[in-house]
């Protein structure tokens, strides 16, 4: 994906940089107008641990393409990648304008005390608030790529084999659920839930075997702190009786088997916070359309997914649910299209990047209006007579008829 992002930027950069000509109005006639992209200056990129290479380099591509100097702060939770970037990146980029700063909370705090021209942060909402507070002291704009509980609405009319494969790939195939756009919970009808659970079990066994803890295709949990956090969600007394598949764990090797929970109470911990792991709750409703109310009762997610053959249901999702992005009849693939923006809304973040959206995120759009010395209108200068004011009103509102009538001295009654 990084290679494709680089190639796409190289291919499109001249077009992105080209000033955009825009129409002018009668008020400025004769004139020409354009929007010019210019670099913001020095930008700070604070990346996350779950895709530590991708989430570090992808925004850097956009920042460099837009002409900025860049400070990259990789996540200390992925120390091998952080060390790799600090060691290798200087061999390939201009060190006078692109630097990698390693460290943990003290180093990040020190960086946030500096004045940057823009900050892009990828991570959780708690730290996002800290970043935004620090940025506010310098009136620095921010892009926050956060997360949230990404719902999956599953209709009973779907191709269940294809649907479950795509849900499993998006949940457990993506870092064992440690992804901001991974499915967080499923909503389906009470009547269809048993079929869906059975299909998910079959798919999980096919992908990861009868003992998934030994599967080479299943990611570990990143560290012991996150392992304990997930165990707290799973061992909550409100959900302990809802596990219908999985639940095995190996704390020494930081492995948790794919786990499905059915009819999880809405007031349980797992339904209150982002899971960010291999646990998948299923919530059932009488009618699938009730699922829209359930989605909207929670914070706006980074992604929302729908599996259905019903076009009206698809339209309803797009019109009534606010989310950073959406995919119909699949999961996570929205991030692979560089022509789509990637970003959140509300609690899941602000701003977006990828492709031209990255270039725009790190650019200032400068308005440029150019005029010659001809076509000077005396009406814009004092003294402002009633006649001049009529003409000025027409010019400002773009009302050519009013201008013409004022010029010939005709008065409306």
């Amino acid at each position: 994906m990084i290679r494709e992002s680089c190639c796409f930027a190289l291919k499109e950069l001249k077009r992105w940089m080209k000033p955009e000509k825009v129409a002018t109005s009668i008020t400025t006639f004769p004139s020409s107008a354009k929007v010019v992209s210019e670099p913001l200056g020095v930008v700070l990129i604070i990346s996350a641990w779950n895709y530590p290479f991708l989430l570090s380099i992808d925004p850097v591509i956009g920042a460099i393409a837009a002409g900025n100097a860049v400070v990259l702060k990789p996540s200390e939770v992925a120390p091998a990648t952080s060390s790799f970037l600090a060691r290798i990146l200087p061999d390939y980029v201009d060190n006078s304008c692109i630097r990698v700063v390693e460290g943990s909370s003290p180093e990040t705090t020190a960086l946030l005390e500096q004045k940057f021209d823009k900050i892009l942060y990828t991570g959780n909402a708690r730290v996002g608030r800290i970043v935004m507070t620090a940025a506010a002291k310098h009136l620095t704009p921010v892009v926050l790529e956060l997360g949230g509980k990404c719902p999956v609405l599953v209709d009973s009319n779907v191709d269940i084999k294809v649907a479950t494969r795509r849900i499993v790939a998006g949940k457990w195939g993506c870092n064992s659920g440690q992804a901001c756009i991974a499915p967080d919970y499923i909503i389906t009808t009470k009547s269809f839930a048993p079929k869906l659970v059975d299909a998910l079990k079959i798919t999980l066994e096919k992908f990861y075997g009868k003992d998934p803890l030994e599967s080479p295709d299943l990611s570990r949990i990143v560290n012991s702190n996150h392992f304990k956090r997930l165990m707290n969600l799973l061992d909550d007394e409100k959900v302990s009786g809802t596990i219908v598949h999985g639940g095995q764990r190996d704390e020494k090797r930081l492995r948790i088997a794919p786990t499905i929970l059915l009819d999880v109470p809405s007031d349980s911990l797992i339904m209150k916070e982002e899971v960010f792991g291999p646990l998948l709750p299923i919530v059932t409703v009488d009618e699938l359309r009730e699922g829209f109310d359930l989605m909207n009762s929670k914070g706006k997610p980074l992604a929302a997914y729908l599996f259905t053959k019903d076009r009206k249901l698809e339209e309803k999702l797009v019109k009534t649910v606010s989310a950073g992005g959406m995919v119909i009849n699949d999961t996570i693939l929205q991030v692979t299209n560089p022509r789509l923006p990637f970003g959140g809304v509300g609690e899941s973040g602000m701003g977006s990047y990828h492709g031209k959206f990255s270039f725009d995120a790190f650019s200032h759009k400068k308005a440029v209006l150019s005029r010659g010395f001809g076509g000077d209108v005396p009406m814009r200068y004092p003294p402002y007579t009633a006649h001049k004011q009529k003409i000025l009103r027409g010019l400002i509102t773009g009302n050519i008829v009013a201008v013409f009538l004022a010029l010939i001295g005709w008065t409306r009654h």
Side-chain angles (χ1 to χ4, degrees):
M1 285 178 69
I2 285 297
R3 182 186 174 122
E4 287 303 309
S5 185
C6 282
C7 292
F8 187 71
L10 287 167
K11 179 184 174 184
E12 300 290 336
L13 188 53
K14 282 187 179 179
R15 188 171 62 83
W16 296 345
M17 292 169 64
K18 189 177 179 180
E20 178 192 353
K21 291 184 178 180
V22 296
T24 57
S25 67
I26 188 174
T27 313
T28 61
F29 179 84
S31 65
S32 63
K34 59 187 176 182
V35 179
V36 177
S37 297
E38 68 176 12
L40 291 172
V42 183
V43 302
L44 172 64
I45 294 169
I46 306 173
S47 70
W49 54 262
N50 55 334
Y51 289 88
F53 186 75
L54 175 70
L55 296 177
S56 294
I57 299 299
D58 207 359
V60 168
I61 292 167
I64 294 172
N68 298 280
V70 184
V71 174
L72 170 63
K73 167 61 182 67
S75 173
E76 71 277 10
V77 181
T81 307
S82 178
S83 174
F84 170 81
L85 288 168
R87 191 176 69 254
I88 299 297
L89 201 59
D91 293 341
Y92 295 92
V93 297
D94 184 349
N95 289 295
S96 67
C97 58
I98 303 163
R99 291 289 182 93
V100 178
V101 175
E102 285 195 280
S104 56
S105 183
E107 288 77 11
T108 305
T109 302
L111 282 171
L112 289 172
E113 289 172 355
Q114 314 308 311
K115 177 173 171 52
F116 288 93
D117 296 293
K118 193 152 198 176
I119 299 173
L120 185 147
Y121 165 76
T122 304
N124 62 56
R126 181 185 63 81
V127 178
R129 286 180 171 87
I130 294 170
V131 170
M132 199 170 179
T133 301
K137 293 177 183 176
H138 301 291
L139 294 180
T140 298
V142 296
V143 175
L144 300 179
E145 299 295 345
L146 307 177
K149 295 185 74 62
C150 300
V152 186
L153 196 63
V154 184
D155 200 351
S156 59
N157 62 12
V158 299
D159 183 326
I160 197 165
K161 287 185 179 180
V162 174
T164 50
R165 281 202 299 264
R166 292 175 180 178
I167 291 169
V168 169
K171 177 67 172 180
W172 293 282
C174 274
N175 237 1
S176 237
Q178 298 169 108
C180 53
I181 55 168
D184 189 276
Y185 65 101
I186 288 176
I187 303 170
T188 193
T189 58
K190 286 181 171 63
S191 58
F192 187 65
K195 292 179 185 176
L196 182 60
V197 169
D198 288 343
L200 285 167
K201 288 179 180 179
I202 292 167
T203 304
L204 283 168
E205 187 172 327
K206 188 176 180 181
F207 284 7
Y208 303 112
K210 292 190 175 182
D211 186 1
L213 294 181
E214 300 302 321
S215 172
D217 297 309
L218 197 66
S219 302
R220 292 183 307 110
I221 305 306
V222 68
N223 58 31
S224 58
N225 286 338
H226 282 276
F227 187 94
K228 289 171 184 173
R229 178 187 64 81
L230 289 164
M231 288 303 97
N232 285 338
L233 298 181
L234 200 56
D235 294 338
D236 179 5
E237 59 181 15
K238 292 180 180 178
V239 304
S240 57
T242 65
I243 299 171
V244 293
H245 182 78
Q248 304 94 325
R249 64 198 76 173
D250 184 339
E251 188 170 0
K252 196 174 274 187
R253 294 191 297 160
L254 297 176
R255 285 181 171 269
I256 301 173
T259 302
I260 301 170
L261 305 94
L262 182 61
D263 284 324
V264 176
S266 59
D267 61 346
S268 58
L269 282 174
I270 203 168
M271 289 307 295
K272 286 181 177 178
E273 62 179 72
E274 185 178 4
V275 175
F276 221 74
L279 319 177
L280 183 63
I282 298 177
V283 179
T284 60
V285 290
D286 293 322
E287 297 287 337
L288 198 62
R289 293 180 185 275
E290 295 171 31
F292 293 105
D293 294 330
L294 181 57
M295 286 185 193
N296 289 325
S297 69
K298 301 185 180 299
K300 297 176 181 179
L302 189 57
Y305 305 110
L306 169 65
F307 287 84
T308 187
K309 292 179 181 178
D310 186 340
R311 285 282 183 183
K312 288 184 178 178
L313 209 60
E314 179 180 334
E315 289 172 8
K316 185 176 173 67
L317 178 80
V318 175
K319 287 180 180 178
T320 63
V321 175
S322 181
M326 292 177 173
V327 183
I328 312 300
N329 294 327
D330 214 321
T331 61
I332 72 164
L333 292 183
Q334 70 273 29
V335 299
T336 65
N337 186 339
R339 291 175 176 82
L340 287 175
F342 176 67
V345 57
E347 283 284 310
S348 59
M350 61 183 70
S352 61
Y353 71 110
H354 283 190
K356 187 175 186 296
F357 299 96
S358 293
F359 178 85
D360 290 342
F362 293 108
S363 298
H364 166 61
K365 301 301 180 182
K366 183 163 59 180
V368 179
L369 181 74
S370 180
R371 302 191 72 205
F373 290 98
D376 207 29
V377 181
M379 288 77 182
R380 65 181 289 198
Y381 306 117
Y384 295 115
T385 64
H387 179 65
K388 280 185 176 181
Q389 288 184 46
K390 286 177 185 177
I391 295 173
L392 278 174
R393 284 193 195 99
L395 287 170
I396 292 168
T397 59
N399 189 335
I400 298 173
V401 175
V403 173
F404 176 74
L405 293 175
L407 285 169
I408 65 173
W410 190 80
T411 305
R412 291 183 179 182
H413 297 287

